[in-house]
Amino acid sequence: YNGPLEVSMERTTLISPADVEQQLAFCQSVAELTARWPEGKPLAFVDTYGCQQNEADSELLRGMLCEMGYQITDTDRGADVIVINTCAIREHAEQRVFGNVGALVHGKRRNPEQIICLCGCMAQEPHVAQRLRQSYRHVDLVFGPQQLWRFPEFLRRVMLRRGRVFETERDEGAIAEGLPVRRSGKLKAWVSIMYGCNNFCSYCIVPYTRGRERSREPKAILDEIQSLAAQGYKEITLLGQNVNSYGKDLEGGWDFPTLLERAAGIPGEFLLRFMTSHPKDATEKLFDVMARCPKVAPVIHLPFQSGNTRVLGAMNRRYTREQYLEKVAALRARLPDVVLTSDVIVGFPGETTPEFEDTLSLMEEVRFDALFTFIYSPRKGTPAAELPDPMTKAEKSANFDRLVEVQNRISLEKHRAYIGTVQRCLIDGAGEDPRNNLTARTAGGRLVHLSGDAALIGRFADIRITDCSTWALFGELSAEHPGAGG
Ligand code: 5AD
Ligand code: SF4
């Protein structure tokens, strides 16, 4: 691709550099307050729920907090600022947040100066904001994901006035570049390439909480990847609710495969991953780029949600069972050993047991390497929440158990096929088991346990797979591995 890297700066979705500057000035202003703290730096704790986009957002929140003079801690105990970055995707996630936020009232009683903030997708749900306003009066600041870049301004307002701040109006969303970031890892990094979702799957709250689809400028993304590669990051994951929509709002013919191939051309020893891909927009062009670029990890997360075409229609997924299977076939024709993972929902309103069995048969046909399985959870404000839902909880959980059993068998069979092979892996951390003191990831992202010198962490190495379980592989450093004798 030789087209222009700079896209028009007039885009309405781009926050002006002056507005970003202003937030950095608010950081300085808060830093003047925190500099007068009696003993050392004040402490800030950011607690993250939900998806990788939230993890990435929390790295920005921590970056801004550091800029404001805070030291990051990993517990709410003794923290001067607590930020809960929430997820609204299922009821269960919300209940955990309400439970944990409720429990913070005791710490706040001991330290009335403590500031408690809640952000992320729950903040953007009107009934949640209402409940926080009325029944969680110890929460000082609530703001939705589209307002994240204004966190310094809000925090300063709370600090100066000690009044509660709610910034939860629905917002289409924009893009702010140049915010400080404090990354949690030295080996793996997230890079957001786009925000929001326009798909409106009928069960999903995300399009209501994260606003409309908008793509970052290619130059900003590629510069960020280049800088990460230069810093020695080994795994860079491109993030978006649906990365395959990348570029639809940009000029210059940009799309996701084009961006991915450009990213793969950046020098350095690293692997590129990406998530998530909506099957309806996963193209042969994408599969070609995956097959062509050794830096693009041979793995794709391609949520199918259901194996039944009627249910897929009711979910507003805009593909049929057959079209999904055709995509998988087109991918495997190019990358026979690609690692394929997926999401599936059991118990969508009106799903019958025979329809559910189509999900099982699709799983048998595709044989996913791993599956993230969910029981349908009604989300207020989504169309599916209005549908009749006659199946009992007990029936749904019986179906769910059947599904998990099928997938566990397939996962184990797939893992067994690795035994005896040598896999090039990134050794990424220390394991909990003293016999297997290291963890690693295959290029396809499968977890490997092994023993070896901790000095290898951060290196790619060849690992011979010797054993497996349903959830992980076990291996040993292969004799050919560089550094082991030559
Ligand atoms: N209930 C259950 N699962 C859901 N997901 C999204 N919304 C819901 C819901 N209301 C699942 C989908 C999606 C994954 C991130 O979460 O499978 O791909
Ligand atoms: Fe939700 Fe569908 Fe958008 Fe994914 S693509 S975030 S499931 S609406």
Side-chain angles (χ1 to χ4, degrees):
Y1 179 83
N2 296 315
L5 266 187
E6 307 273 2
V7 179
S8 157
M9 292 302 284
E10 321 274 292
R11 287 174 58 208
T12 51
T13 50
L14 206 56
I15 307 286
S16 79
D19 286 347
V20 174
E21 270 308 310
Q22 196 188 17
Q23 294 301 320
L24 299 178
F26 286 131
C27 284
Q28 285 318 304
S29 154
V30 173
E32 280 163 27
L33 300 172
T34 54
R36 288 188 234 130
W37 229 251
E39 311 145 40
K41 285 187 171 191
L43 300 176
F45 172 54
V46 181
D47 199 6
T48 314
Y49 294 77
C51 65
Q52 283 84 0
Q53 184 57 56
N54 262 15
E55 296 287 348
D57 285 348
S58 285
E59 294 186 343
L60 287 173
L61 291 163
R62 292 193 194 96
M64 294 189 260
L65 284 161
C66 289
E67 215 55 27
M68 290 186 271
Y70 289 89
Q71 186 177 324
I72 305 301
T73 128
D74 56 8
T75 163
D76 57 79
R77 285 217 263 127
D80 298 281
V81 171
I82 298 174
V83 186
I84 321 273
N85 191 3
T86 64
C87 170
I89 198 105
R90 281 171 293 273
E91 183 68 32
H92 178 69
E94 292 201 351
Q95 275 161 357
R96 269 177 62 218
V97 167
F98 276 121
N100 293 345
V101 171
L104 294 178
V105 80
H106 308 294
K108 179 102 171 194
R109 244 176 239 144
R110 283 192 299 273
N111 175 14
E113 295 298 303
Q114 185 178 57
I115 296 174
I116 300 178
C117 316
L118 188 145
C119 62
C121 285
M122 279 173 72
Q124 205 68 63
E125 290 180 289
H127 68 280
V128 171
Q130 183 67 4
R131 183 167 164 194
L132 290 167
R133 216 186 262 277
Q134 282 173 352
S135 314
Y136 292 78
R137 303 201 58 86
H138 58 296
V139 177
D140 300 283
L141 166 59
V142 180
F143 58 101
Q146 277 70 269
Q147 304 296 334
L148 183 118
W149 64 282
R150 292 172 63 201
F151 176 51
E153 170 190 345
F154 303 151
L155 187 62
R156 177 170 171 276
R157 214 190 295 163
V158 173
M159 287 176 99
L160 293 183
R161 291 219 315 255
R162 295 296 324 185
R164 302 176 82 195
V165 172
F166 278 73
E167 291 276 353
T168 57
E169 292 84 71
R170 185 153 285 172
D171 190 320
E172 304 269 281
I175 293 174
E177 294 289 352
L179 296 172
V181 51
R182 197 185 153 91
R183 299 193 190 266
S184 302
K186 296 261 173 285
L187 292 179
K188 303 182 183 187
W190 314 116
V191 174
S192 297
I193 65 165
M194 58 174 305
Y195 306 93
C197 182
N198 286 356
N199 288 316
F200 291 94
C201 300
S202 64
Y203 50 80
C204 187
I205 193 75
V206 169
Y208 305 89
T209 60
R210 286 204 175 262
R212 299 289 58 77
E213 274 175 9
R214 52 218 189 264
S215 307
R216 284 180 72 196
E217 312 275 314
K219 182 170 186 330
I221 296 169
L222 295 169
D223 285 353
E224 186 173 341
I225 297 171
Q226 187 153 28
S227 145
L228 291 167
Q231 290 167 59
Y233 280 90
K234 299 288 182 240
E235 218 183 83
I236 298 170
T237 303
L238 309 183
L239 290 181
Q241 238 65 49
N242 173 18
V243 292
N244 297 324
S245 294
Y246 179 79
K248 285 186 183 167
D249 54 335
L250 298 176
E251 290 159 14
W254 285 91
D255 60 14
F256 182 60
T258 306
L259 180 77
L260 187 62
E261 187 156 35
R262 279 294 289 260
I266 291 171
E269 191 193 35
F270 64 91
L271 273 183
L272 284 166
R273 304 185 187 283
F274 54 92
M275 70 187 326
T276 284
S277 282
H278 195 303
K280 78 175 162 56
D281 311 304
T283 55
E284 301 200 355
K285 186 172 174 189
L286 171 64
F287 305 152
D288 285 335
V289 168
M290 291 176 71
R292 190 155 72 218
C293 300
K295 272 198 183 123
V296 178
V299 49
I300 188 167
H301 184 66
L302 202 61
F304 75 106
Q305 313 297 5
S306 165
N308 177 273
T309 296
R310 189 202 67 81
V311 175
L312 288 169
M315 289 176 163
N316 191 31
R317 291 290 289 176
R318 285 173 278 171
Y319 54 84
T320 63
R321 173 192 175 96
E322 289 68 33
Q323 285 166 334
Y324 185 87
L325 291 172
E326 282 160 21
K327 296 269 165 151
V328 170
L331 171 63
R332 284 187 168 151
R334 293 163 177 82
L335 276 161
D337 292 327
V338 70
V339 169
L340 195 55
T341 63
S342 199
D343 294 342
V344 60
I345 297 176
V346 176
F348 183 80
E351 183 187 60
T352 63
T353 292
E355 286 171 339
F356 160 74
E357 283 165 353
D358 287 343
T359 290
L360 293 184
S361 78
L362 186 141
M363 287 162 57
E364 296 282 6
E365 214 166 308
V366 174
R367 294 174 61 80
F368 295 102
D369 292 80
L371 199 55
F372 298 87
T373 54
F374 308 104
I375 291 189
Y376 170 74
S377 168
R379 307 284 66 214
K380 222 177 238 143
T382 62
E386 308 297 318
L387 295 174
D389 191 3
M391 194 183 273
T392 63
K393 265 197 178 138
E395 285 174 280
K396 288 187 183 188
S397 62
N399 284 346
F400 183 81
D401 292 346
R402 279 176 76 187
L403 183 145
V404 170
E405 200 176 307
V406 167
Q407 183 55 41
N408 284 352
R409 171 177 48 77
I410 295 172
S411 293
L412 184 60
E413 285 166 4
K414 287 222 135 186
H415 276 171
R416 280 209 187 107
Y418 281 87
I419 296 177
T421 66
V422 173
Q423 301 284 325
R424 185 126 188 106
C425 298
L426 174 64
I427 301 182
D428 62 354
E432 264 133 50
D433 176 358
R435 282 162 306 168
N436 283 306
N437 61 321
L438 297 178
T439 60
R441 291 275 168 180
T442 67
R446 309 314 300 147
L447 173 64
V448 186
H449 295 286
L450 73 156
S451 80
D453 189 341
L456 290 171
I457 294 174
R459 303 253 300 263
F460 286 96
D462 289 331
I463 295 174
R464 179 175 300 282
I465 306 302
T466 55
D467 201 357
C468 73
S469 70
T470 306
W471 295 279
L473 304 170
F474 298 87
E476 56 196 25
L477 288 165
S478 160
E480 307 96 79
H481 135 80

